Amino acid sequence: MEILLKCLCNQVMPATVISHAKKIKKDEEINIISDREGNQTYFVGDFKNYHLYILVSCTKFKVLSDSIKIPSRRKNFFTATVRYFDVIRNEYTDSTFTFKSLLTRRLTNKLTGKIIDCLYDIKIHPAYFSDNEHNNINTEADGFSFEYYENNQKIIKKFPLDLPFFEYCINPNSSLPLFVEYIGIAENFGERDAIERLSNGHEHLNNINARLSKKYPNKECYACFYRLEEDFSKICDFTTTVKTLEATLIQHFKPLENGQMLNFPKNRNIDLIQKIRNASIEKILVELHPPKNCIFISNAISYPNNLDNDSCVHSIQIDI
């Protein structure tokens, strides 16, 4: 029997925030996570019941302060020039990107009755998250501040230019490489999901953050969350399924922080292999999709020379 594990549904959030998260709440469709100091990070997505997570490192983004432009107030996008470290070229690069705005105003054309979501009166300024902009004149902007009025009251909402925000880029000039650092699971269905696994202290996440801070200050860590598209309970139990998925991805990417399952399934004596065989499974197929506008790489998987949409998807096959 063949079993196809499709990992199509994913969400991303800053892993540096997960490690000291205090609470998560929703503001309409936008989630807000607060740390112990009261600092808030905004992200979009539903993170419940995700049981597989991939910790990745990625370049930090900086916004050139005078580069933010709104081509049309009747549209829902803006442009900005972004500075980032290109790990393929091994140099800093400035590129102008077009971003779909997370905040818009809804207007109705009085003549046609057509409803449009656009920027209208929203002002967009550079925002500063890494440092205090007033205490360091050399601080580079690393986010966007949206300013508008509601009932004569000024409202300001700030969003960091991070990996989740990069998914709203309309015209990326290439797929952003995400270096796979660690692959893990929360294996008990209904008891604990991946975000809880990371929030309650995580040795590998701490190791990655410490190493990036010391050796690679131009990079930061993110967590990519996945859940299975199908229910395999009639074939094998949930724990066996997610452990099989985890082992298959570990042997494919061979992350530095994963010490086990690097040669799966060559070790035929492990309990997981026996459970897979007991379910009459002879072949495992895994289809892993990276976050939008991104591609996974590792020490074992290089950035493809000829990149297209299909080459961003990792299709893995293992015979048991």
Side-chain angles (χ1 to χ4, degrees), residues 19 23 35 47 52-53 84 133 137 142 173 197 250 257 274 292 305 313-314:
S19 60
K23 62 181 180 178
D35 63 19
F47 293 88
L52 172 77
Y53 58 94
Y84 62 96
E133 61 176 308
I137 60 174
D142 52 3
N173 49 21
R197 170 75 177 87
I250 289 174
E257 284 290 328
Q274 297 304 317
K292 184 180 177 182
N305 292 326
V313 178
H314 294 268

Side-chain angles (χ1 to χ4, degrees), residues 115-129:
I115 298 176
I116 60 172
D117 292 318
C118 59
L119 287 167
Y120 187 51
D121 61 345
I122 297 177
K123 296 180 180 179
I124 305 176
H125 305 287
Y128 302 80
F129 287 86

Side-chain angles (χ1 to χ4, degrees), residues 215-265:
K215 295 184 177 181
Y216 306 100
N218 57 351
K219 300 175 70 176
E220 54 190 343
C221 185
Y222 292 92
C224 304
F225 296 91
Y226 288 85
R227 57 186 173 198
L228 293 171
E229 288 291 285
E230 299 179 44
D231 181 8
F232 294 96
S233 58
K234 293 182 179 180
I235 301 176
C236 59
D237 63 87
F238 181 81
T239 298
T240 300
T241 302
V242 294
K243 281 187 173 182
T244 301
L245 175 59
E246 176 192 37
T248 303
L249 293 177
I250 289 174
Q251 70 81 31
H252 180 69
F253 289 106
K254 293 179 171 47
L256 295 177
E257 284 290 328
N258 287 99
Q260 299 179 343
M261 300 296 182
L262 294 173
N263 296 313
F264 176 81

Side-chain angles (χ1 to χ4, degrees), residues 7 10 35 51 82 96 99-100 190 195 223 246 253 264 291 298 300:
C7 302
N10 60 75
D35 63 19
H51 291 271
V82 177
T96 300
F99 295 97
K100 180 181 178 181
I195 196 169
E246 176 192 37
F253 289 106
F264 176 81
S298 69

Side-chain angles (χ1 to χ4, degrees), residues 88-135:
I88 306 302
R89 299 178 180 176
N90 198 35
E91 63 182 12
Y92 282 96
T93 300
D94 292 351
S95 295
T96 300
F97 296 110
T98 301
F99 295 97
K100 180 181 178 181
S101 178
L102 270 67
L103 296 179
T104 57
R105 306 282 267 172
R106 177 156 290 185
L107 301 180
T108 302
N109 188 307
K110 295 181 179 180
L111 297 177
T112 64
K114 183 180 178 180
I115 298 176
I116 60 172
D117 292 318
C118 59
L119 287 167
Y120 187 51
D121 61 345
I122 297 177
K123 296 180 180 179
I124 305 176
H125 305 287
Y128 302 80
F129 287 86
S130 299
D131 301 287
N132 190 313
E133 61 176 308
H134 300 295
N135 293 336

Side-chain angles (χ1 to χ4, degrees), residues 290-306:
K292 184 180 177 182
N293 298 329
C294 300
I295 185 171
F296 288 129
I297 63 172
S298 69
N299 285 334
I301 304 297
S302 302
Y303 197 96
N305 292 326
N306 298 314

